[in-house]
Amino acid sequence: MSWIALCCACCIGLAAADGIGVQNASLQLQDDHYVVEANFSVVLNPTLDEVLHKGVPLYFLTEFEIVKPRWYWAYRQLASWFDNTARLEARLTYNALTRKYRVGYGTLYQSFSSLNQALAALGSVRNWSVTDAGNLTKGRQYEGRVRMRLDVSQLPKPFQINAIGSQEWDIASDWRAVAVAGE
């Protein structure tokens, strides 16, 4: 009986390994800008791995929000004079001719010889400027939240239809809170 329980626990652990997890995240003030540094562990499930190897690009969206903690409400999103949400889009592709993986941010691309290297680069967010320091009131407490997810809206239409309501296509990290004080 204990052997069966051990096998089930191993299978559950392997299934939980697929997806995106936040390893660490921080928000720092650098040169009048707040910048995010974060590490995500990204593991593709067999469906996404197959789609990637068939030449379909996968888009990942890293999102950062600044919220103001309240005692009477969980969070109050800051709105009005500045956009409190920043988004960073990354593209993961595979070229079957060269057998290389590419991770791209905008027009900048980097090639990798293995999927593990490409996923490690995809999950490493460095010096991402999310807002100007002047947008936060001095001495007031704020909280930042960061997460990464697969952007299924960027997939070709037939894959978007398959993605509706499917756990295989819905990979995202939980929101990770990052505390910051205004200037």
Side-chain angles (χ1 to χ4, degrees):
M1 187 67 155
S2 63
W3 183 79
I4 293 172
L6 179 63
C7 287
C8 289
C10 288
C11 289
I12 291 169
L14 289 174
D18 292 345
I20 303 172
V22 184
Q23 294 176 334
N24 58 47
S26 67
L27 183 67
Q28 303 164 357
L29 182 61
Q30 291 181 0
D31 300 327
D32 297 329
H33 285 68
Y34 283 100
V35 296
V36 170
E37 304 274 333
N39 287 317
F40 297 92
S41 62
V42 182
V43 179
L44 300 181
N45 60 38
T47 301
L48 294 177
D49 187 66
E50 180 182 351
V51 167
L52 177 67
H53 284 94
K54 293 205 186 259
V56 176
L58 299 178
Y59 290 86
F60 291 85
L61 196 60
T62 305
E63 298 170 306
F64 178 81
E65 290 182 348
I66 296 177
V67 294
K68 188 172 167 182
R70 297 282 178 121
W71 64 270
Y72 55 86
W73 196 255
Y75 292 107
R76 177 179 169 233
Q77 287 192 344
L78 300 176
S80 69
W81 74 99
F82 79 99
D83 185 10
N84 66 318
T85 303
R87 291 174 181 84
L88 181 65
E89 184 180 271
R91 180 179 172 178
L92 175 65
T93 59
Y94 175 71
N95 187 323
L97 292 175
T98 61
R99 294 185 180 158
K100 297 272 185 191
Y101 299 88
R102 287 178 49 171
V103 175
Y105 291 94
T107 59
L108 301 174
Y109 284 91
Q110 189 172 2
S111 294
F112 300 93
S113 57
S114 76
L115 180 58
N116 287 338
Q117 291 172 338
L119 292 176
L122 179 72
S124 179
V125 177
R126 298 286 172 261
N127 293 321
W128 176 30
S129 179
V130 291
T131 190
D132 293 332
N135 288 335
L136 303 182
T137 305
K138 188 175 185 174
R140 195 172 271 187
Q141 282 298 117
Y142 297 95
E143 188 168 295
R145 303 187 305 175
V146 66
R147 76 171 176 174
M148 179 184 277
R149 65 182 174 88
L150 176 68
D151 189 3
V152 293
S153 69
Q154 296 282 344
L155 292 170
K157 294 294 180 198
F159 291 103
Q160 288 183 24
I161 293 169
N162 288 342
I164 295 173
S166 174
Q167 293 285 340
E168 294 175 330
W169 295 90
D170 187 25
I171 65 168
S173 70
D174 293 330
W175 285 101
R176 169 69 66 98
V178 182
V180 62
E183 294 188 274

